[in-house]
Each structure stands twice: as C-alpha cells, then as structure tokens.
Amino acid sequence: MAVKTNQEYHAVQKEIGFAQGAIKTLEDQVLERMLEADELAAALKKSEADVSSEQKAIDADRRAMTAEHGELQTSLERITRERAEIVTALDKQVLLTFEQIARKRNGVAVAEARDGVCTICHVRLRPQVFNTVRRNESIVQCDSCNRILFFVPAPATAATPDDVSQPAS
C-alpha cells in the first residue's frame, strides 16, 4: 500500500499503533492464561497426589473392615453354634417364655436383679421375689416388665490383714 499524503501517513501510523496495542493486549492475555495453566497444572498434580493418598487410606480401611467383617462373621457362626447347643439343652417351656419376652421387649429378655431392683425397669422387687431370684432355683419374671430375672452375687472381698489381726477384747 502506497501512502501519498501526510494525512494518509498519520492514519496508517494510527492503525499500526492500534494494531500493536491489540497485539500487546492479546499477548498479555496469552501470558496470563499460560500462568493460570501452570497454576492449574500444579493444583492438578497436588490434587492427584491427595486423591492417591486418600485412595490408599480408603483401600487400607476397606481391607481392615473386610478383615473385621470376617472375624465378626466367624464369631457370629461360633456364637450361633453355641446358642444351638444351649437351646437343645433347655426346657422347651423356658425357651418359649424366653423367645416370647425377647420378641415383645426388642430382644432383651433378661434383666439383672440388683439390690432388690430390676435393673431394666427400675421397679423394686418384692422381698420374696428377690430372695427367690437370689436362690436361682427357678425362672422368675419381673412383675413390672416381665423379663426373666437373674442375680449376680457380689465378689467376695479379701479380708485385710488389719481386720484379721485385731484381738477381741
């Protein structure tokens, strides 16, 4: 393109200046995008490392849970066998009573009788009922919640040497 006048020359120079400004703006934008890409690439690598470590932790937890599940399954099978052996030795009427109470009371069919009180419903037992439970001669049910009562005797405490060595005056 041939420029013939001074006015045309200034117009072309203005166009060149605008074009150079647009090029500079575009180059700056490209540099910004390149910096963003570098930052995102670093964040991606960090995130991938985090995901990898989390995946390893999840895999370790999964293996531990699988092992625990296997142990619990074995324990459940053993307990089921033991229960079956005990059930065969029980009186059918006692077993029927136990199963009925367990169904009605969400699986809790027995309660400890401690200090003359049913530990589940916290109702004081009649003295004769509590004594019968303590003797453990028959199946006794709580008058309030109907659960089968059992008694665990308090462990015998060993006498201290001071108690034994005191002479009677």
Side-chain angles (χ1 to χ4, degrees), residues 96-130:
L96 180 65
T97 303
F98 175 84
E99 289 176 345
Q100 286 175 343
I101 296 169
R103 259 194 315 275
K104 290 179 186 175
R105 302 294 181 176
N106 297 325
V108 181
V110 295
E112 181 182 359
R114 185 182 315 139
D115 300 326
V117 176
C118 172
T119 57
I120 300 291
C121 67
H122 303 289
V123 171
R124 180 159 297 283
L125 301 171
R126 289 179 287 135
Q128 183 59 41
V129 172
F130 185 62

Side-chain angles (χ1 to χ4, degrees), residues 1-2 6 16 19 31 33 40 43 45 56-57 72 79 84 107 109 117 126 154:
M1 176 169 140
N6 203 16
I16 290 172
L31 286 174
R33 297 296 180 256
L40 291 174
K45 286 183 181 179
K56 288 178 183 176
L72 290 174
I79 291 170
V117 176
R126 289 179 287 135

Side-chain angles (χ1 to χ4, degrees), residues 29-48:
Q29 289 177 351
V30 167
L31 286 174
E32 289 175 4
R33 297 296 180 256
M34 288 173 66
L35 290 174
E36 281 181 32
D38 289 344
E39 290 172 1
L40 291 174
L44 176 66
K45 286 183 181 179
K46 183 182 180 299
S47 296
E48 286 175 344

Side-chain angles (χ1 to χ4, degrees), residues 48-68:
E48 286 175 344
D50 290 346
V51 166
S52 175
S53 66
E54 287 296 323
Q55 188 64 38
K56 288 178 183 176
I58 288 171
D59 290 342
D61 287 347
R62 185 173 286 142
R63 283 191 299 273
M65 286 182 158
T66 302
E68 183 179 356

